[in-house]
Amino acid sequence: MLMIPGPTPVPEKVLLAMAKHPIGHRSSEFSQIIAETNENLKWLFQTKNPVLALCASGTGTIEAAIVNFLSTGDRVIVGSNGKFGDRWAQIAKAYGLNVQSITAEWGVPLNPDDIASALQADGDIKAVIVTHSETSTGVLNDLEAINKAVKENSDALIIVDAVTSLGSHNIPVDEWGIDVIGSGSQKGFMLPPGMGFVTASEKAWAAYEKATLPKFYLDLGKYRKAADKASTPFTPPVNLYFGMKVALEMMKAEGLENIFARHTRHKEAARAAMKAMGLPLFAPDTHASPAVTSVVPDGIDAEKIRSVMKKRFDIALAGGQDHMKGKMFRMGHLGFVSDRDILCAITALEATLQELGYKPPASGVLAASERLQKG
Ligand SMILES: Cc1ncc(COP(=O)(O)O)c(C=O)c1O
């Protein structure tokens, strides 16, 4: 059982849809699948602009955002309070951008006022790049407030890593005027790894016309042109498209509000359970990711917990990253996750703690169950 923040569980219906011989990607049969999935991706991203599917992981979508909408020497702000924020600064620097990092400690949300002040101090910022759900820490940055700070203080593009928030948290992309937003198939999409999704605003497409950074495979203009004809510029992962067709149908049947409510319920159930069991949470309640709950157990080895969970119960939890390696475990609850999965994981965790000689002050199972009951 996968309780990591990606790859996430894939429904059997989706797996079976992929268990077929590939078909020609220039066939009319495949073109129909592209036309349907493109429309449904727009629904999921809450945008009227095309959502472009790349044969790349989530990182590829943010690299695409950088190379398509910016030019060498451009001044950009990167919000960084975890591993992924750091990564976007690295990529921006690799492409010769002039990067100003606005940071917060791991576990602490980015302060929108810091971004506002930085924009006020430098009138020539071309883009602000932020990670919405910082998976390395379990912090959900306040995208609405950050976006407002960007809009009120600049003409900069806002580029958003929504790798673990798209499909788990409400992001009204067009309503908020998010310029570029990227995500990956192995996260909230109930699909295996292999595809990245990115969409851009009209303002971003205007910047594309002037952007000078080199690009070829990630040239989004090519993908947009092809999408207009229900096609792709290069050979797409055909079988992933078979799965995506079914996964998006399932998501539409559940409805966006229900999907977001389910993720909130699971996040709150997981957090209630950790608190009951006396396990310290790394992200504050006010800024907790709906995709992943990060825990820094006091006096119990996080790696031992993960090891017992895997060996005895075959439940995979993620570990800490970078300097949090060995100090943290992270429970994913993203994508195709049910109340039963949450209860099962918490039950196994409680048993694991007991096996490791730790007596939880109260039952995590009861706390989670109570929260789940509320719907
Ligand atoms: C918030 C966030 N951004 C970016 C990435 C990188 O995505 P990928 O590994 O698909 O390139 C991840 C992966 O976990 C992530 O959680």
Side-chain angles (χ1 to χ4, degrees), residues 5 57-60 84 87-88 131 133-135 161 163-164 186-187:
S57 72
T59 302
F84 295 104
R87 182 178 296 177
W88 312 141
T131 300
S133 161
E134 183 41 90
T135 320
D161 163 357
V163 172
T164 54
Q186 80 278 21
K187 305 290 188 179

